[in-house]
Amino acid sequence: MQTAVKMQGVLVMCYFLSSLLGGDAAPAADEVTYLPGLQKQPSFRHYSGYLSVADGKHLHYWFLESQNNPSSDPVVLWLNGGPGCSSLDGLLTEHGPFLIANMLYLESPAGVGFSYSDDKKYVTNDTEVSMNNYLALKEFFNLFPEFSKNKLFLTGESYGGIYIPTLAERVMEDASLNLQGIAVGNGMSSYKMNDNSLVYFAYYHGLLGSQLWTNLQTFCCSNGTCNFYDNQEPTCSDSLSEVQDIVYSSGLNIYNLYASCPGGVRQRLSVERGELVIRDLGNSFMSHRWSQLWNQKLRSLASVHLSVRLDPPCTNSTPSFLYLNNPYVRVALHISPKALDWVICSAEVNLKYGRVYMDVRKQYLKLLSALKYRVLVYNGDVDMACNFMGDEWFVESLHQEVAVQRRPWHYNNEDGLQVGGFVKEFDNIAFLTVKGSGHMVPSDKPSAAFTMFTRFIERQPY
């Protein structure tokens, strides 16, 4: 452990020295000059390559310049979650075109997407990932020094709720990085609040029925307080197992309750071409209590198969899978021959991942105490994976001074002015819902998401 800490310190110093001696232009070798299969090539410059961090790990990045004014527009880091899922899903299925910011997509940790480790070992945890993401940012600005003075925002979704604030805690201590704020969408902020609130969410959206709700209230609650998180009472556990089956195993789209399930309702496990394909594991990405039994089962199943692929339920990653694994595309993106085939989520990373933080309250309070960062927590309000109620409880638990009471916020679309959702603003943090959106807000509500994002980075009222 001491050796690893010393090595990370040496790397930070090396990055600092190399930035003093480095050039003043983006790396020409990483520029993507042609993307196969596109009828029209992008009008903006973009780059794909690797950022080398500690212990022989190489994180793949894809950086796309703003179509507005790249030299002055902010740099926005985006991280998808998992843990173990690729941020290229955000690039290819959620975002764009890139009108107001320079976007940096980082496949993290090593073992995710095209990122790899020289030793091919992919055991990691929250602490190591936050350090390597920080080192990757340092290396990025070493390669792109012309962007080092631009405003920097850290953003992400899902398990990005852990990635982003733990990374921000490191970045805020580095004066060379011009951090302005963070935004987390449908994020895991507190396992306890997420699990507790999900049961209420499920009941009030008509999923549980009156008898099950009565059992939950009787066996999981006392003195007006319910514990659906780590309750050891056997009858309560039986009732919670029923909730789990309804929410995660009945064929509902956990990422958007009111959306259909692409591909239809499937069995949880299947074998394709010698691979174990896990198809119905939404909660293993986020929850604590309800994922433990699944992870035990999956480790035993994975041990008898050569490879394991993790497919989020009710999603279709086939187009991205086919495109990114095209050999001509891999060449165009400068992908290392050491990288594995691209998959949307790595089961190996997910199943071996060490979850250090059960909540990120400390990190948020540290950011807010600086009194200078803009913080946004936003949620699509029909997501069950990381539901809006748990994140609202979390933001309220920070006990910040209220600046603007909860109210509707609006945006324009082809039908005129619309209610985008609801927002409550505190001194330096806002909690915002996006009406009718699921887990992937930019995919479900692009116009509303663009309005929200623009107001966030331009420090406009929501």
Side-chain angles (χ1 to χ4, degrees), residues 169 172-173 361-370:
E169 185 178 25
M172 68 181 290
E173 301 293 341
R361 191 171 185 271
K362 178 177 75 73
Q363 286 76 17
Y364 273 90
L365 290 175
K366 187 173 181 180
L367 276 169
L368 293 170
S369 68

Side-chain angles (χ1 to χ4, degrees), residues 376-453:
L376 172 64
V377 176
Y378 67 91
N379 286 68
D381 63 10
V382 292
D383 172 35
M384 296 192 292
C386 293
N387 72 87
F388 79 92
M389 195 182 306
D391 276 329
E392 187 167 15
W393 290 356
F394 175 78
V395 172
E396 292 283 358
S397 76
L398 301 175
H399 301 299
Q400 300 299 294
E401 191 73 25
V402 177
V404 181
Q405 291 290 349
R406 200 174 195 271
R407 61 171 177 83
W409 67 275
H410 301 86
Y411 71 101
N412 274 299
N413 67 9
E414 61 275 9
D415 296 317
L417 193 65
Q418 304 295 319
V419 173
F422 294 85
V423 62
K424 184 174 182 179
E425 297 182 60
F426 303 83
D427 279 346
N428 289 287
I429 185 171
F431 174 76
L432 181 147
T433 64
V434 183
K435 181 176 68 70
S437 174
H439 194 68
M440 295 79 162
V441 170
S443 296
D444 290 346
K445 297 291 181 179
S447 295
F450 180 73
T451 300
M452 172 193 70
F453 180 65

